[in-house]
Amino acid sequence: MNKMKILTAALFLAVATSATAGGLLTHTNQNVIFLRNPSRDAAIGIDGIYTNPAGVAFMTNGFHLSLNWQCVHQTRTITSAYGPLFAMNIKNPAPISEDNDGRFAYRKFKGVTDAPIVPSIQMAYNTNRWSFQFGLAISGGGGKCEFDNGLGSLEGIVAKLAQKSGMTGYSFNSYLKGQQYYFGTTLGAAYKVLPNLSVYGGVRMLYGTAKYETHVKDIMVAGPTTGGNEMAAAQLFGKLKNDAITGAEQAAAAGLAEQAAELQARASQLGTYEVIAKGINLNCKQKAFGVAPIIGVDYKIGKLNLAAKYDFKVRMRLKNDNPDPNFNVIAAAVPQLAKFADGQEVPEDSPALLTVGAQYEITPKWRVMAGYHHFFDVDTKQYTDDLLDDTDEVNVGTEYDVTDWLQVSAGLQKTMYHLEDDFMSDMSFKIPSYSFGFGVGVKVAKNVKVNVAYFQTNYKTRDVTSNEGTVKNSYTRTNRVFGLGCDIDF
């Protein structure tokens, strides 16, 4: 038991380290065995604590422990155009191309995520008909991603400021780093009702934490008003605001009430622009906690094994903590940033999930399997609720025992999102994909197996046009994972 305590403490320390080093980017890969073969919904193994908890009851009596390490590399690439405005960037003008519906200046923004340490642990104690289980992993969130030059939506804010002031050029410095993790713990027990039938009940607990750091600073504009020379945008808007205030006072003195009101409204608007032009400093932290039950069943019919699992929805409300006193003024004026206003509760529920699977033993050494996942996204509460439909996944795989000590496996998974264009933004986007994984399991001792695997996700490219055709974004990403795990039976 002392060994078990040491291993558990070491893993909790590793998770704490990974919270600053990276995040899990494919949320169902809670074990390296999944990387070897993502079709595990009806498989019997220690990784079933996540994929098929009822099936874990059919493992041998005693302690079963799985320690896993994954290394994740992901890129996110967005090609953006705010009409021709990006061509106004003085230091980095984007080339203009002619589209069917107008002239657009496109710029590419690329973010990189490297998560060298993504740990997880699964433990089970089986005794006769009972199986008591525990799992710990990074079960959700987008991980950590940095954009050294910010995003198109951030440059769009600056470009529009220049346009509103009648300028023909702008320059600025920008940076964005975001990280989001859902640390998940599962506790539950399975019971063999019959020699070939088991049921499972448990809970999953999620602790969500997120942090977003963005700066947009050194905003300069140039154009007719500045004689073609660069000047601080805040200085220009301050001057225009004062001119409007003076004009409003003069109009009021002349008895021109309607004109005075218009100028006063313009002065108020210019004052908001002045605050934005001084720079955007986002340093938002979010935290939340949620709990929901899990149920499962596993049924054997000769060489065929059938399983199903249902994870209930976890209610999550992330509370914003953003110390910049000027940010809420900016957030009220800039829709892209409204989500991060200080004190706001951001709903980001983890959806309910239904999984069903089948595994068939062709020979004592060769098994094939298939599965289906349905995420009930529509039933969740999200900050952006413009969802078209739920998310579906299908998978197939195979596993073969080459010898008593060597096992090979491989599998495919297809993920199908059905999201409206309004759900997509350069700060958060999801696109359909297909994944493949393969690897080996090597018994290095009678009770110790080492798993080595590679997993890759290939994404489609999603083109989105908004704001009556003036804004165009193209989204894609890459994802590659290498994993090493160790399964030990006591």
Side-chain angles (χ1 to χ4, degrees):
M1 289 299 294
N2 287 333
K3 290 182 180 179
M4 295 293 293
K5 291 178 180 178
I6 292 171
L7 288 170
T8 303
L11 188 89
F12 269 97
L13 178 61
V15 169
T17 302
S18 81
T20 58
L24 194 62
L25 301 169
T26 50
H27 301 173
T28 49
N29 57 330
Q30 312 238 337
N31 191 293
V32 171
I33 299 176
F34 172 91
L35 303 182
R36 286 176 45 188
N37 170 18
S39 188
R40 298 288 298 176
D41 301 301
I44 305 298
I46 186 62
D47 63 306
I49 288 174
Y50 174 73
T51 54
N52 178 20
V56 178
F58 292 109
M59 296 180 69
T60 58
N61 283 346
F63 276 107
H64 304 277
L65 172 67
S66 181
L67 298 172
N68 300 272
W69 163 76
Q70 298 178 45
C71 178
V72 182
H73 174 78
Q74 187 181 63
T75 64
R76 306 178 191 187
T77 304
I78 306 110
T79 302
S80 297
Y82 277 60
L85 294 185
F86 289 169
M88 295 166 53
N89 190 315
I90 298 169
K91 296 179 180 178
N92 185 23
I96 290 181
S97 64
E98 299 287 344
D99 287 357
N100 293 332
D101 48 357
R103 302 172 73 242
F104 290 88
Y106 290 94
R107 190 186 309 288
K108 185 175 289 187
F109 300 86
K110 186 174 182 179
V112 177
T113 297
D114 283 307
I117 303 175
V118 180
S120 64
I121 183 173
Q122 287 86 32
M123 293 190 296
Y125 176 67
N126 285 12
T127 174
N128 298 322
R129 292 188 173 190
W130 286 97
S131 174
F132 301 98
Q133 304 170 25
F134 167 80
L136 175 64
I138 305 175
S139 59
K144 182 175 73 173
C145 193
E146 297 185 47
F147 290 84
D148 292 337
N149 297 313
L151 289 171
S153 57
L154 298 177
E155 181 166 352
I157 295 170
V158 178
K160 288 177 181 178
L161 279 177
Q163 185 186 47
K164 291 177 185 298
S165 63
M167 298 294 100
T168 57
Y170 64 86
S171 65
F172 72 110
N173 289 312
S174 181
Y175 171 79
L176 171 68
K177 180 171 72 174
Q179 63 182 43
Q180 182 191 56
Y181 308 97
Y182 278 5
F183 296 92
T185 299
T186 59
L187 290 169
Y191 181 74
K192 284 192 284 187
V193 181
L194 298 170
N196 63 335
L197 173 66
S198 66
V199 294
Y200 171 87
V203 295
R204 62 169 172 158
M205 295 168 282
L206 295 182
Y207 172 69
T209 177
K211 183 177 181 181
Y212 302 92
E213 298 177 50
T214 298
H215 68 242
V216 181
K217 61 182 182 179
D218 304 328
I219 301 175
M220 308 289 286
V221 293
T225 307
T226 65
N229 298 315
E230 284 189 275
M231 71 177 297
Q235 179 184 347
L236 174 62
F237 279 110
K239 180 180 181 303
L240 294 174
K241 178 190 69 175
N242 292 334
D243 290 345
I245 292 173
T246 300
E249 293 172 348
Q250 293 173 346
L256 303 173
E258 185 175 345
Q259 183 179 348
E262 290 177 355
L263 286 168
Q264 191 60 48
R266 175 166 170 74
S268 177
Q269 186 179 54
L270 289 167
T272 301
Y273 294 157
E274 182 184 15
V275 172
I276 298 172
K278 288 178 180 178
I280 299 171
N281 182 30
L282 169 63
N283 186 11
C284 182
K285 297 178 181 179
Q286 301 174 326
K287 292 181 181 179
F289 178 78
V291 181
I294 311 170
I295 56 176
V297 61
D298 188 284
Y299 183 61
K300 292 176 173 292
I301 310 172
K303 297 180 179 180
L304 177 65
N305 191 60
L306 303 172
K309 175 175 71 86
Y310 186 79
D311 295 52
F312 287 78
K313 177 183 73 175
V314 180
R315 184 183 185 274
M316 300 290 281
R317 296 294 182 270
L318 297 166
K319 182 71 175 290
N320 286 348
D321 178 11
N322 193 346
D324 187 349
N326 292 324
F327 186 81
N328 278 14
V329 175
I330 297 172
V334 181
Q336 300 97 310
L337 301 176
K339 178 180 179 179
F340 306 103
D342 183 50
Q344 178 170 297
E345 277 195 347
V346 180
E348 288 194 359
D349 294 342
S350 179
L353 168 63
L354 172 67
T355 69
V356 294
Q359 175 176 285
Y360 184 74
E361 188 179 277
I362 297 176
T363 72
K365 292 187 174 184
W366 184 18
R367 294 162 294 282
V368 294
M369 55 279 289
Y372 168 73
H373 305 162
H374 185 82
F375 295 85
F376 294 85
D377 296 318
V378 172
D379 294 333
T380 65
K381 181 68 175 176
Q382 305 289 335
Y383 181 78
T384 302
D385 278 333
D386 300 308
L387 292 171
L388 177 63
D389 206 342
D390 296 334
T391 300
D392 298 291
E393 287 182 334
V394 292
N395 57 63
V396 295
T398 185
E399 187 175 71
Y400 186 74
D401 301 329
V402 181
T403 66
D404 292 339
W405 57 270
L406 177 63
Q407 184 182 77
V408 296
S409 58
L412 299 169
Q413 178 169 281
K414 184 176 181 179
T415 303
M416 295 160 283
Y417 295 108
H418 315 285
L419 301 173
E420 295 279 10
D421 285 354
D422 289 345
F423 185 86
M424 310 288 284
S425 75
D426 55 5
M427 291 190 180
S428 178
F429 62 90
K430 294 183 178 181
I431 46 182
S433 65
Y434 72 89
S435 305
F436 65 87
F438 57 87
V440 298
V442 182
K443 274 197 171 184
V444 296
K446 184 178 180 180
N447 63 332
V448 179
K449 183 171 74 172
V450 174
N451 297 296
V452 182
Y454 175 77
F455 184 86
Q456 179 172 318
T457 304
N458 298 311
Y459 296 86
K460 292 184 177 180
T461 297
R462 174 79 177 266
D463 296 323
V464 175
T465 300
S466 58
N467 289 8
E468 298 181 350
T470 62
V471 178
K472 291 189 175 184
N473 286 315
S474 179
Y475 305 102
T476 191
R477 61 203 300 173
T478 66
N479 183 46
R480 294 176 174 84
V481 188
F482 171 79
L484 180 64
C486 182
D487 298 341
I488 307 171
D489 300 325
F490 294 92

